[in-house]
């Protein structure tokens, strides 16, 4: 049959079918899905791995934070080495008590006070030093060896870092309304006075030059001796002016003056005449007189704990006789108003230079008592001639010395003075000396006269003064007493305008926030410089509280420590000895005090305010009032353990205790300074998480 050509309709249908077939995506999608499945699995693995890394990282940071904070609370003093103890505490709180998630604690390594992370070389600024010296607990943690959550992929090394540093507190609230003045003044001046009328001869300012064997600061003017002209002065006293400010005016705030009694000096210099020898018919004359001692720290000024003794050495002119004591016309000298065993204490003339004998002088034995804390001990001398008259025929002397029937006798009066200091009469002064050319004992100087024009002496005043407040270093250290009731000023503060009694302030603490004074002047309460009402917190000045309030003392402390003013059971016993160095942060006897400048509590003002110089941590070991409730912890029966008995205070209105080195968490509202804590000085130490 003839060949037939396709119809035009058929061709179109074929083309259309071809296009539909070519447009189909079922094959491409299959291929694409096959290609995307591994990529999706990889992305899911990476996401899960990143999430797992974040969980481990977050928990590792929690571990080091907890470890550093826990270890910092274990600072104990005296502090010599804490590294092993801190490492143990870090392992406990960074692992045992707070293990890493998913049971991977074995992959975690911890380092304490290390400049590098475990197993790594890169270092930072962390000192590789014991926490006792670095005043920090730095914890680094590293976690390694982690695989992905489905065993696919690798989790990089995880590092975490935390640091707790121990700083001095800069501001605090909740303080006890008690203050302790700094024992060391800012400046000291020695004033030479004429004791006859109290006028000033000259003065010299002292500088701190070192420390004595007990660690007390030494002050003197050895680099600039003061030229003192004795002239005709027979009794020169040395007044010491100690100031916590720039003023040297006795009676000003923060100024303490120590000058013995009745305006006399704290130490004494005898001025003596060296001309006009004794002639016939005249009484004997006493020239230079000195003291010596082997039992007192210094014969002219000391602070003996018990009575010590001094000896006296006197140059006495009886008219040119070779040995007045053994010559035919014999003389006798005694210490006035002193007898030993019912007999006079005699001086004997030294002619040969025997041991302990000053040739040409009258010397006593070292038996003149200087009782502890008695203040000035005046030493007078009496004289008598016992055979005829050494000084002329006008008198007929009796051989019974110092009897009323003997006309040949008299008194030289007080010729020297020793001084036994204490906290009241000489404050923080521990030793006071007058020196010439750096030689001690310049306490007897010749006056100016026709044959002695060189009567100006280069004098040095040297003293030691009680050093800074120190924390207790052992459980047997004697307690410190703080007076809260007195006829004048106490060491109590009026620290909270919202609490109107010392009882409430003792029980609750000072509500306002106080901070270390940065140079702000302090004036009177209720005026511009006062803590209230015009000063904004934090307050840099604190008001003092005057007058005795003994009934409130025990009530306030009973409430604070035992929970009730009328407490009859010692629910908060004294654990100072039992817990020494490891006092609990929940112990209510651990309190914070304010320190103020030297001389704060020596006046009698009722509305003075003073700078806050620092804070101090204090452990209360006893208190007592008068007229209020009793302190049930003072009895020996409550509790039975002698280590838990309260220390008996010096009297009603006192609190006793110890300054302690102690670290506490930074309290709410408080702030740290930029200075690390020094556990060797009295301050408040706070733990601060800095990294």
């Amino acid at each position: 049959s003839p060949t037939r050509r396709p119809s035009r309709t058929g061709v179109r249908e074929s083309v259309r079918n071809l296009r539909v077939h070519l447009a189909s995506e079922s094959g491409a999608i299959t291929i694409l899905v096959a290609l995307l499945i591994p990529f999706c699995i990889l992305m899911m693995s990476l996401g899960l791995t990143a999430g797992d890394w974040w969980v481990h990282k977050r928990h590792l940071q929690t571990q080091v934070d907890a470890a550093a904070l826990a270890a910092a609370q274990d600072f104990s003093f005296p502090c010599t080495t804490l590294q092993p103890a801190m490492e143990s505490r870090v392992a406990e709180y960074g692992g045992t008590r707070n293990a890493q998630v998913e049971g991977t604690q074995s992959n975690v390594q911890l380092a304490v006070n290390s400049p590098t992370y475990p197993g790594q070389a890169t270092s930072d600024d962390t000192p590789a030093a014991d926490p006792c010296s670095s005043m920090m607990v730095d914890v680094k943690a590293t976690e390694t060896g982690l695989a992905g959550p489905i065993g696919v992929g690798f989790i990089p090394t995880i590092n975490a870092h935390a640091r707790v540093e121990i700083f001095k507190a800069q501001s605090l609230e909740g303080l006890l309304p008690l203050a302790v003045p700094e024992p060391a003044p800012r400046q000291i001046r020695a004033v030479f006075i004429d004791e006859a009328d109290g006028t000033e001869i000259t003065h010299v300012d002292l500088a701190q030059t070192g420390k004595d064997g007990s660690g007390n600061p030494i002050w003197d003017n050895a680099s600039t001796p003061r030229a003192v002209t004795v002239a005709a002065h027979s009794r020169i006293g040395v007044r010491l002016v100690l100031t916590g400010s720039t003023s040297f005016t006795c009676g000003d705030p923060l100024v303490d003056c120590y000058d013995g009694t009745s305006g006399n000096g704290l130490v004494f210099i005898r001025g003596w005449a060296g001309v006009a020898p004794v002639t016939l018919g005249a009484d004997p004359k006493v020239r230079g007189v000195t003291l010596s001692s082997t039992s007192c720290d210094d014969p002219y000024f000391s602070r003996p704990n018990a009575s010590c003794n001094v000896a006296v050495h006197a140059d006495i002119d009886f008219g040119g006789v070779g040995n007045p004591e053994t010559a035919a016309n014999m003389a006798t000298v005694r210490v006035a108003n002193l007898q030993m065993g019912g007999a006079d204490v005699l001086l004997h003339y030294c002619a040969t230079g025997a041991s302990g004998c000053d040739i040409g002088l009258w010397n006593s034995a070292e038996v003149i008592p200087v009782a502890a804390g008695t203040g000035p001990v005046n030493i007078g001398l009496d004289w008598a001639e016992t055979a005829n008259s050494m000084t002329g025929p006008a008198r007929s002397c009796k051989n019974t010395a110092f009897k009323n029937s003997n006309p040949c006798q008299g008194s030289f009066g007080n010729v020297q003075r020793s001084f036994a200091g204490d906290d009241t009469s000489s404050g923080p002064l521990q030793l006071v000396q007058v020196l010439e050319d750096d030689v001690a004992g310049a306490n007897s100087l010749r006056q100016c006269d026709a044959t002695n024009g060189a009567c100006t002496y280069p004098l040095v005043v040297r003293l030691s003064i009680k050093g800074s407040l120190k924390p207790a270093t052992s459980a047997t250290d004697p307690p410190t007493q703080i007076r809260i009731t007195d006829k004048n000023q106490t060491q109590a503060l009026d620290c909270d305008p919202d609490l109107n009694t010392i009882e409430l302030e003792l029980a609750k603490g000072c509500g306002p926030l106080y901070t270390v004074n940065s140079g702000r002047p302090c004036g009177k309460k209720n005026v511009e410089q006062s803590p209230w009402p015009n000063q904004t917190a934090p307050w840099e000045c604190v008001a003092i509280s005057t007058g005795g309030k003994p009934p409130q003392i025990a009530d306030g402390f009973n409430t604070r420590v035992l929970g009730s003013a009328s407490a009859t059971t010692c629910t908060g016993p004294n654990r100072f000895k039992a817990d020494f160095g490891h006092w609990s942060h929940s112990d209510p006897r651990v309190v914070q005090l304010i320190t103020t400048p030297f001389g704060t509590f020596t006046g009698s003002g009722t509305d003075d305010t003073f700078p806050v110089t620092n804070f101090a941590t204090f452990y209360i070991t006893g208190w007592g009032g008068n007229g209020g409730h009793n302190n049930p912890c003072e009895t020996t029966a409550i509790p039975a353990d002698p280590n838990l008995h309260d220390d008996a205070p010096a009297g009603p209105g006192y609190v006793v205790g110890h300054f302690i080195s102690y670290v506490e968490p930074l309290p709410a509202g408080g702030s740290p300074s930029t200075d690390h804590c020094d556990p060797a000085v009295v301050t408040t130490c706070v733990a601060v998480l800095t990294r």
Side-chain angles (χ1 to χ4, degrees):
S1 65
T3 301
R4 298 182 59 184
R5 298 177 61 187
S7 69
R8 188 173 295 176
T9 301
V11 170
R12 291 195 185 106
E13 185 67 26
S14 297
V15 171
R16 185 168 43 253
N17 290 338
L18 178 60
R19 287 176 176 172
V20 171
H21 179 73
L22 292 175
S24 173
E25 297 181 0
S26 59
I29 291 175
T30 301
I31 295 172
L32 181 61
V33 169
L35 293 174
L36 286 177
I37 286 176
F39 179 76
C40 292
I41 293 174
L42 176 61
M43 293 301 296
M44 182 175 15
S45 176
L46 290 175
L48 291 174
T49 299
D52 210 22
W53 177 91
W54 186 88
V55 170
H56 279 255
K57 171 71 173 178
R58 188 65 180 170
H59 192 77
L60 194 64
Q61 188 63 51
T62 300
Q63 287 179 283
V64 293
D65 288 348
L69 288 168
Q73 308 313 307
D74 283 350
F75 264 87
S76 59
F77 302 99
C79 191
T80 54
T81 177
L82 281 174
Q83 187 79 14
M86 294 301 187
E87 289 174 348
S88 176
R89 185 66 76 186
V90 165
E92 178 184 357
Y93 280 85
T96 306
R97 290 176 178 263
N98 191 21
Q100 181 59 290
V101 297
E102 299 175 347
T104 58
Q105 183 62 33
S106 60
N107 295 335
V108 175
Q109 293 179 287
L110 298 165
V112 178
N113 283 18
S114 169
T116 60
Y117 286 91
Q120 300 175 48
T122 304
S123 62
D124 61 12
D125 63 347
T126 305
D130 190 274
C132 287
S133 58
S134 63
M135 282 294 114
M136 69 172 62
V137 181
D138 186 278
V139 180
K140 291 183 173 69
T142 297
E143 186 174 12
T144 59
L146 290 177
I150 58 175
V152 178
F154 172 75
I155 296 180
T157 296
I158 302 174
N159 290 330
H161 182 197
R163 178 184 293 177
V164 172
E165 296 185 69
I166 311 302
F167 292 106
K168 290 171 53 179
Q170 178 70 21
S171 58
L172 291 173
E173 57 188 12
L175 298 152
L176 209 64
L178 300 176
V180 182
E182 296 282 358
R186 288 178 57 186
Q187 301 180 85
I188 300 178
R189 173 172 291 178
V191 182
F192 297 88
I193 59 174
D194 187 332
E195 292 190 353
D197 55 16
T199 58
E200 178 179 327
I201 300 171
T202 186
H203 68 261
V204 63
D205 293 338
L206 311 184
Q208 188 170 336
T209 57
K211 293 185 178 182
D212 64 15
S214 300
N216 297 313
I218 295 174
W219 295 63
D220 62 34
N221 62 306
S223 62
T224 55
R226 174 61 69 192
V228 178
T229 301
V230 175
H233 303 296
S234 61
R235 303 182 64 83
I236 300 174
V238 181
R239 173 187 297 146
L240 278 304
V241 183
L242 283 63
T243 176
S245 66
T246 57
S247 171
F248 288 100
T249 302
C250 298
D252 278 1
L254 307 182
V255 180
D256 283 352
C257 293
Y258 298 102
D259 54 7
T261 58
S262 304
N264 294 328
L266 199 64
V267 291
F268 176 75
I269 301 171
R270 172 180 172 78
W272 54 274
V275 296
V278 172
T279 59
L280 292 177
D283 289 346
K285 293 182 178 180
V286 62
R287 313 291 190 190
V289 181
T290 60
L291 304 176
S292 66
S293 178
T294 59
S295 57
C296 300
D297 289 338
D298 184 270
Y300 300 99
F301 178 93
S302 60
R303 291 184 62 130
N305 294 323
S307 181
C308 61
N309 299 315
V310 299
V312 61
H313 313 276
D315 180 6
I316 304 174
D317 184 354
F318 274 97
V321 179
N323 186 342
E325 192 172 18
T326 59
N329 301 319
M330 290 188 295
T332 300
V333 181
R334 71 178 180 182
V335 179
N337 304 313
L338 179 64
Q339 290 189 326
M340 304 292 290
D344 290 332
V345 174
L346 299 178
L347 280 69
H348 298 286
Y349 184 78
C350 181
T352 62
S355 177
C357 174
D358 291 340
I359 297 178
L361 301 182
W362 291 78
N363 306 278
S364 79
E366 189 178 309
V367 294
I368 303 172
V370 180
T374 56
V377 178
N378 291 308
I379 299 172
L381 296 179
D382 298 333
W383 62 272
E385 296 173 353
T386 60
N388 299 320
S389 176
M390 292 182 178
T391 56
R395 292 179 290 202
S396 178
C397 303
K398 304 291 184 180
N399 60 8
T400 53
F402 307 118
K403 299 296 184 182
N404 291 335
S405 60
N406 185 2
C408 304
Q409 61 183 346
S411 176
F412 295 123
N414 293 329
V415 296
Q416 258 303 344
R417 187 168 72 226
S418 185
F419 195 97
D422 61 10
D423 288 344
T424 300
S425 64
S426 55
L429 297 169
Q430 304 299 296
L431 188 67
V432 183
Q433 296 176 316
V434 180
L435 309 91
E436 181 184 3
D437 292 331
D438 217 28
V439 177
N443 297 76
S444 185
L445 303 174
R446 184 175 173 177
Q447 298 171 340
C448 301
D449 54 55
T451 61
N452 183 44
C455 58
T456 298
Y457 303 87
L459 298 185
V460 171
V461 177
R462 177 168 295 152
L463 57 86
S464 65
I465 188 169
K466 187 182 297 181
S468 299
L469 299 171
K470 291 182 172 59
T473 57
S474 75
T476 58
D477 281 6
T480 296
Q481 297 179 348
I482 300 175
R483 70 182 189 276
I484 311 176
T485 179
D486 204 338
K487 59 184 178 181
N488 290 315
Q489 285 192 345
T490 71
Q491 290 174 251
L493 302 175
D494 187 6
C495 64
D496 192 332
D498 296 328
L499 300 177
N500 57 10
T501 67
I502 188 69
E503 177 183 346
L504 290 174
E505 290 180 331
L506 287 171
K508 297 182 178 182
C510 310
L513 179 67
Y514 283 88
T515 190
V516 175
N517 194 291
S518 59
R520 176 187 177 89
C522 297
K524 299 291 185 179
K525 187 167 62 174
N526 298 321
V527 294
E528 184 180 356
Q529 293 90 350
S530 72
W532 57 81
N534 298 320
Q535 183 179 334
T536 57
W539 292 351
E540 298 180 43
C541 302
V542 63
I544 61 175
S545 178
T546 58
K549 307 172 183 67
Q552 301 182 36
I553 305 308
D555 289 359
F557 280 113
N558 280 2
T559 301
R560 184 181 193 94
V561 178
L562 308 177
S564 170
S566 58
T568 58
T569 303
C570 186
T571 55
N574 167 23
R575 302 193 62 87
F576 175 77
K577 294 181 180 179
D579 295 346
F580 184 81
H582 302 277
W583 300 285
S584 170
H585 294 289
S586 61
D587 192 333
R589 291 174 179 258
V590 177
V591 297
Q592 305 299 332
L593 310 181
I594 287 175
T595 65
T596 53
F598 174 87
T600 298
F601 299 102
T602 56
S604 58
T606 59
D607 58 355
D608 291 326
T609 69
F610 294 95
V612 176
T613 59
N614 201 352
F615 304 104
T617 304
F618 193 74
Y619 192 99
I620 302 169
T621 59
W623 65 87
N626 185 12
H629 294 92
N630 293 326
N631 171 8
C633 300
E634 286 186 343
T635 67
T636 57
I638 306 174
D641 185 345
N643 284 331
L644 306 181
H645 295 165
D646 263 12
D647 289 324
Y654 278 78
V655 59
V656 295
H658 300 263
F659 295 105
I660 61 174
S661 295
Y662 170 88
V663 176
E664 67 174 18
L666 183 66
S671 65
S673 74
T674 57
D675 296 327
H676 279 126
C677 178
D678 183 354
V681 301
V682 167
T683 188
T684 293
C685 302
V686 292
V688 182
L689 185 65
T690 58
R691 296 192 185 180

